[in-house]
């Protein structure tokens, strides 16, 4: 039995919203093999994120992004020396934590989601969480993010944070039964993300995910 794919990856070349089993193709799948891989635009979050999962109870900006002990998001990357880019990287990590907190809390309107995402980024997060909820799944295991790069626009109000993600040890878990839906490692477990982070107009120091572009089956990340 296949596990549901972690929220991930469809490279958005058009405005269409695509849901796939795990990656960028239109695979037909059973309910247990289908957590959405979507990509769309997104908006703005804030600090901090480190090269490991955020400690339980961590509340950057007063917002709870803590996750269950068995849901581990690891950020294996070095911070940029540019202050804006470093802050955008922190909040890109918080954006991902917010998605999985929403999965755990069974809510697309959790405060972390609405704090660290806007526009297309908020839509992306809510669709991802919604698919986990519809499938009756939560997540367990370790999801690793690495090889991050950043690129800023001249006005300093927008930063693109790009990175690889490895979900080969990150699984869906049936809420009713507690059954973990494992598969053997595969190319579908690797994705390449580009998240456009924008500086909040109302909250000092806060950056939000405003656009999310993902390449599925990213060979360069394996």
């Amino acid at each position: 039995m296949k596990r549901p794919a972690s929220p991930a990856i469809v490279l958005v070349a058009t405005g269409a919203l695509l849901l796939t089993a795990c990656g960028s193709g239109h695979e037909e799948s059973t309910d247990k093999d289908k957590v959405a891989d979507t990509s769309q635009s997104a908006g703005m979050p804030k600090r901090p994120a480190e090269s490991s999962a955020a400690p339980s109870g961590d509340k950057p900006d007063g917002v709870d992004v803590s996750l269950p002990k068995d849901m581990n998001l690891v950020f294996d990357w070095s911070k940029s020396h540019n202050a804006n880019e470093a802050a955008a990287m922190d909040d890109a990590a918080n954006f991902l934590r917010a998605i999985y907190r929403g999965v755990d809390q069974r809510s697309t309107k959790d405060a972390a989601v609405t704090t660290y995402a806007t526009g297309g980024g908020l839509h992306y997060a809510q669709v991802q969480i919604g698919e986990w909820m519809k499938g009756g799944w939560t997540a367990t295991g370790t999801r690793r993010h690495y090889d991050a790069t950043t690129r800023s626009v001249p006005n300093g109000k927008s930063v693109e944070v790009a990175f690889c993600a490895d979900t080969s040890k990150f699984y869906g878990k049936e809420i009713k039964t507690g059954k973990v839906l494992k598969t053997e490692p595969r190319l579908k477990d690797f994705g390449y993300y580009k998240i456009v982070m924008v500086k909040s107009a109302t909250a000092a120091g806060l950056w939000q995910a405003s656009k999310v572009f993902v390449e599925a089956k990213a060979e360069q990340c394996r």
Side-chain angles (χ1 to χ4, degrees):
M1 181 182 295
K2 295 182 179 180
R3 61 175 169 85
S6 59
I9 313 178
V10 172
L11 183 60
V12 180
T14 69
L17 176 65
L18 304 178
L19 300 184
T20 71
C22 183
S24 59
H26 277 286
E27 294 189 6
E28 293 299 323
S29 60
T30 65
D31 287 344
K32 292 186 177 67
D33 190 29
K34 174 185 124 182
V35 164
D37 273 351
T38 70
S39 231
Q40 276 263 357
S41 319
M44 305 179 189
K46 181 180 180 184
R47 210 155 293 183
E50 35 231 351
S51 296
S52 63
S56 178
D58 203 23
K59 295 185 178 181
D61 307 314
V63 178
D64 193 350
V65 292
S66 62
L67 298 171
K69 290 182 179 179
D70 67 337
M71 198 185 291
N72 188 28
L73 271 59
V74 174
F75 298 92
D76 246 343
W77 60 41
S78 299
K79 296 277 189 67
S80 170
H81 295 296
N82 177 283
N84 278 347
E85 292 180 358
M89 292 177 76
D90 282 344
D91 285 345
N94 285 328
F95 168 65
L96 294 173
R97 292 186 182 109
I99 290 175
Y100 288 100
R101 179 171 173 80
V103 170
D104 177 60
Q105 297 294 312
R106 318 302 293 164
S107 174
T108 60
K109 298 180 180 179
D110 186 82
V113 176
T114 56
T115 295
Y116 290 105
T118 189
L122 181 59
H123 180 69
Y124 172 86
Q126 291 177 332
V127 169
Q128 297 298 320
I129 295 166
E131 288 301 312
W132 285 85
M133 291 170 62
K134 284 193 289 185
W137 306 302
T138 186
T140 186
T142 298
R143 177 185 168 101
R144 191 168 72 92
H145 311 83
Y146 51 99
D147 290 350
T149 59
T150 53
R151 184 175 61 174
S152 302
V153 297
N155 65 12
K157 294 182 179 180
S158 177
V159 174
E160 178 191 89
V161 180
F163 56 90
C164 288
D166 174 4
T167 64
S168 60
K169 296 181 180 179
F170 196 67
Y171 309 107
K173 182 170 71 172
E174 293 178 351
I175 293 174
K176 287 185 178 179
T177 67
K179 182 176 182 179
V180 177
L181 308 175
K182 291 188 175 182
T183 60
E184 293 300 316
R186 52 192 178 171
L187 183 57
K188 286 182 180 180
D189 295 325
F190 297 88
Y192 183 67
Y193 285 69
K194 290 183 179 180
I195 301 179
V196 177
M197 306 297 296
V198 294
K199 186 178 288 189
S200 172
T202 58
L206 176 66
W207 292 75
Q208 294 174 299
S210 65
K211 295 182 181 178
V212 179
F213 301 97
V214 197
E215 176 189 347
K217 299 181 181 180
E219 185 68 53
Q220 71 270 30
C221 293
R222 187 156 69 168

